[in-house]
Amino acid sequence: MNDILEIDGLGVTFSTETGEVPAVRDVSLRVRPGETLALVGESGSGKSTVALAAMGLLPGSARTSGRVGIDGTDVVGAPEAALARLRGRTASMVFQEPATALDPLTRVGAQIAEVVRNHRDVSRSEAAREAVELLRRVGIPEPERRASAFPFQLSGGQRQRVVIAMAIANSPGLLIADEPTTALDVTVQAEILDLLRRLAADSGTGVLLVTHNMGVVADFADRVAVMLRGEVVETGPVEEVLLRPTHTYTRKLLAAVPRLRFDGEGVPTATADTDPADPDTPVVRLRDVGVRFGRGPRAVQALDGVSLDVRPGETVGLVGESGSGKSTAARVALGLVAPAAGSVSLFGSDLGRARGRARRALLSGVGVVLQDPVASLDARMSVAECVAEPLRMHRRGMSAAERRERVGDALELVRLPRELAGRGPRELSGGQRQRVSLARALVLRPRLLVADEPTSALDVSVQRTVLEVIAELQRELGFACLFVSHDLAVVQEFARRVVVLRAGRVEEQGPVMSTLLRPETEYTRRLIAAVPVPDPVAQRRRRAARRTEATT
């Protein structure tokens, strides 16, 4: 059986203002039909460049050498018309960020139907029916209704499922997936991986999986290739690479992976974990909060009777599936969404009643770090201007010299040199940009930090660094933290208490270890069971147990 993807001696060099920059050097890979090859490595290792080169999607500034073949068709140097016929039919690609892959002004059903009609002679009505069925296959609820929605009306995880539906619409022989599950919660991630696994088994689709999630690699891949500075440094069967790595860099990557701690029975390890009654006034308190978006039959109840506290100096993890309301709850705490019911107090004051200067004073005590630093940092501003923005808003009497000093101090707090202040966000790595976002959040020395998926887009070693910086600064500065995440391993490691949301309601809450050790609800048990671990043998057992439980 011929390989669906053949890469021989691939080299990619980018032309920049400062000269030629080699991104990929002498990479050779193979993907067989029905096989999944995982390509792993830190940001800047060249893995996404390999994926783009395989689809002929590199920018004009790239110079490519070597050979890339898909189902016998040479990609390097092929005319655009031949590549257009190839893409979407013989090979498809799932990108990490659905916001850039979807047209914000076109309903999602129409976008999927367009992909179908671009490669098959079917009527508009038949393509529309297929679009609904594809939405159902990727696990989107009420697919008939969701097909008429615009991308902004869907959660991040739902948008990613739409992108996957578009990629599999024409049953391609090769699927290139660049971080396809980064924005997904663990249960949806498990469902998507099961879907892609069935696609590979039923139709013989080969998969090139680009990811930094070693649990996903263990769960899904047959073979692994590890990249470092543009070169493949280790490759082999998934069990060999993950359980018996030979290269120092591979061992370093695996050591940085956050893991749910389990005992021999496969349940989280108990620790000394108590939840004492704390007399301190909560930094933020939500009481019976309700939030409703829209009107009429299409209105969505995003939060329904949600109550939670975050006390001084503690970290509370907010977890749940996409659409559970966790980001909405964070926005309520930030004063960005006004609840239709219930109350929100910030530092002991009613946020809903605060107006003008009093409200600004309250909110100046809150810092926020968002998931995507590219979107949250203005590319037209320097790093110094980005970090100084809260000072200009809330410390108007501060001189320019005082602002520069405070910005430099904030950069050093997050382990960045002051010399970066004059650069633009685009000149920084993903981990550096996220630490700039953290510096901006902490420049006012807030009493509360709201972190909404702050590390999910980062590779494991950079994620480890950012989490260590946040934990170190919390010990030093004493701020409280509301930590929104779908990564239960990170929450277990970083938070003191956890609040589990489901469909806008609190499913359960309590000390993080005891909640993960002895979950009270089936929903929380299902979340824990869906967390992939970076051990292929253990992950196969967990997947089998999850399927058995689902059928009983």
Side-chain angles (χ1 to χ4, degrees):
M1 186 179 294
N2 294 330
D3 297 323
I4 186 67
L5 174 64
E6 301 169 293
I7 300 178
D8 295 304
L10 177 66
V12 178
T13 301
F14 290 100
S15 298
T16 70
E17 294 179 357
T18 58
E20 301 286 299
V21 177
V24 171
R25 291 184 288 270
D26 195 27
V27 168
S28 296
L29 300 169
R30 293 286 189 277
V31 177
R32 295 185 291 272
E35 175 190 55
T36 296
L37 171 67
L39 199 56
V40 302
E42 294 177 299
S43 298
S45 63
K47 58 188 187 295
S48 291
T49 300
V50 171
L52 292 171
M55 291 291 286
L57 292 173
L58 290 173
S61 60
R63 181 165 47 84
T64 307
S65 60
R67 177 179 178 271
V68 176
I70 295 180
D71 199 22
T73 299
D74 288 335
V75 173
V76 177
E80 186 58 35
L83 292 175
R85 289 192 297 271
L86 187 78
R87 298 177 192 134
R89 182 64 174 176
T90 307
S92 287
M93 189 162 184
V94 178
F95 295 95
Q96 176 178 351
E97 181 45 64
T100 61
L102 295 174
D103 182 348
L105 302 179
T106 304
R107 300 179 193 276
V108 297
Q111 295 188 56
I112 299 171
E114 182 182 10
V115 173
V116 173
R117 298 193 73 222
N118 280 345
H119 296 279
R120 285 186 277 148
D121 185 17
V122 299
S123 66
R124 290 183 182 275
S125 59
E126 185 177 351
R129 286 193 296 272
E130 284 202 33
V132 171
E133 181 56 33
L134 284 161
L135 290 175
R136 182 177 287 109
R137 285 183 65 192
V138 298
I140 288 186
E142 302 178 276
E144 293 84 358
R145 185 166 73 87
R146 295 295 187 182
S148 63
F150 292 96
F152 73 88
Q153 295 174 304
L154 305 180
S155 70
Q158 289 171 336
R159 286 194 293 267
Q160 187 67 301
R161 281 180 275 178
V162 171
V163 171
I164 292 172
M166 294 169 67
I168 67 173
N170 294 301
S171 301
L174 173 68
L175 184 66
I176 299 177
D178 190 357
E179 302 284 7
T181 61
T182 292
L184 305 180
D185 59 71
V186 289
T187 52
V188 176
Q189 174 178 271
E191 292 167 2
I192 291 298
L193 292 178
D194 285 342
L195 171 66
L196 296 178
R197 193 179 290 108
R198 288 196 302 273
L199 181 69
D202 296 344
S203 58
T205 298
V207 181
L208 178 64
L209 174 70
V210 178
T211 185
H212 63 254
N213 189 324
M214 293 298 186
V216 169
V217 172
D219 192 29
F220 186 49
D222 300 301
R223 291 188 299 115
V224 184
V226 183
M227 292 194 70
L228 171 64
R229 291 192 289 271
E231 299 179 345
V232 175
V233 297
E234 184 166 359
T235 185
V238 64
E239 290 185 20
E240 289 292 327
V241 175
L242 295 194
L243 300 182
R244 293 174 289 278
T246 59
H247 198 278
T248 303
Y249 176 67
T250 308
R251 291 195 290 269
K252 173 190 162 190
L253 278 181
L254 290 168
V257 176
R259 305 168 188 241
L260 269 175
R261 287 169 283 171
F262 293 91
D263 65 16
E265 300 300 319
V267 296
T269 304
T271 63
D273 193 347
T274 59
D275 188 24
D278 191 336
D280 290 341
T281 300
V283 171
V284 63
R285 166 171 282 177
L286 275 60
R287 278 293 171 266
D288 298 320
V289 165
V291 173
R292 190 175 179 85
F293 295 124
R295 295 180 179 179
R298 294 197 175 188
V300 175
Q301 189 73 36
L303 295 179
D304 187 3
V306 169
S307 296
L308 63 88
D309 292 345
V310 183
R311 299 191 177 277
E314 80 167 343
T315 296
V316 173
L318 198 55
V319 303
E321 295 174 303
S322 295
S324 64
K326 54 187 187 293
S327 289
T328 301
R331 292 188 178 100
V332 169
L334 288 166
L336 298 176
V337 172
S343 63
V344 182
S345 67
L346 200 56
F347 315 124
S349 299
D350 190 331
L351 183 61
R353 295 183 178 180
R355 296 289 185 272
R357 184 176 298 176
R359 183 179 178 86
R360 287 196 300 273
L362 282 176
L363 294 176
S364 70
V366 183
V368 59
V369 181
L370 301 176
Q371 176 178 353
D372 184 3
V374 175
S376 62
L377 297 176
D378 192 331
R380 299 167 298 179
M381 299 167 66
S382 68
V383 166
E385 290 171 327
C386 289
V387 175
E389 195 170 16
L391 296 174
R392 290 194 297 270
M393 182 178 299
H394 295 288
R395 301 289 187 271
R396 295 178 181 177
M398 185 176 283
S399 69
E402 289 173 321
R403 280 200 302 270
R404 283 194 299 271
E405 184 64 23
R406 181 72 74 87
V407 167
D409 291 344
L411 291 176
E412 288 184 347
L413 271 177
V414 298
R415 302 181 190 172
L416 289 175
R418 290 175 180 254
E419 291 72 27
L420 286 184
R423 296 189 186 180
R426 291 176 179 173
E427 299 177 73
L428 308 180
S429 68
Q432 288 174 324
R433 284 194 294 264
Q434 193 62 298
R435 279 185 279 169
V436 169
S437 294
L438 180 58
R440 183 179 61 181
L442 298 178
V443 73
L444 291 173
R445 303 297 174 95
R447 297 165 61 188
L448 170 68
L449 178 70
V450 177
D452 191 355
E453 301 281 10
T455 62
S456 65
L458 304 178
D459 60 66
V460 289
S461 56
V462 177
Q463 174 179 265
R464 169 69 58 184
T465 298
V466 170
L467 289 174
E468 286 176 351
V469 168
I470 294 175
E472 181 181 310
L473 292 175
Q474 187 177 31
R475 288 191 295 270
E476 180 180 341
L477 304 177
F479 55 79
C481 182
L482 180 60
F483 190 85
V484 180
S485 181
H486 63 253
D487 191 329
L488 295 185
V490 170
V491 170
Q492 184 193 58
E493 184 173 310
F494 189 60
R496 172 187 168 189
R497 291 192 300 113
V498 63
V499 178
V500 183
L501 288 180
R502 180 187 187 187
R505 296 185 176 184
V506 175
E507 188 79 358
E508 64 178 294
Q509 60 180 306
V512 65
M513 289 306 300
S514 58
T515 300
L516 296 181
L517 175 64
R518 294 179 295 275
E520 297 176 354
T521 68
E522 179 58 34
Y523 176 73
T524 306
R525 286 192 288 271
R526 185 161 58 90
L527 283 180
I528 295 168
V531 177
V533 296
D535 179 329
V537 177
Q539 186 55 31
R540 277 198 295 272
R541 290 197 300 266
R542 287 169 58 76
R543 188 167 65 243
R546 192 177 72 243
R547 288 174 176 169
T548 300
E549 185 175 336
T551 57
T552 57

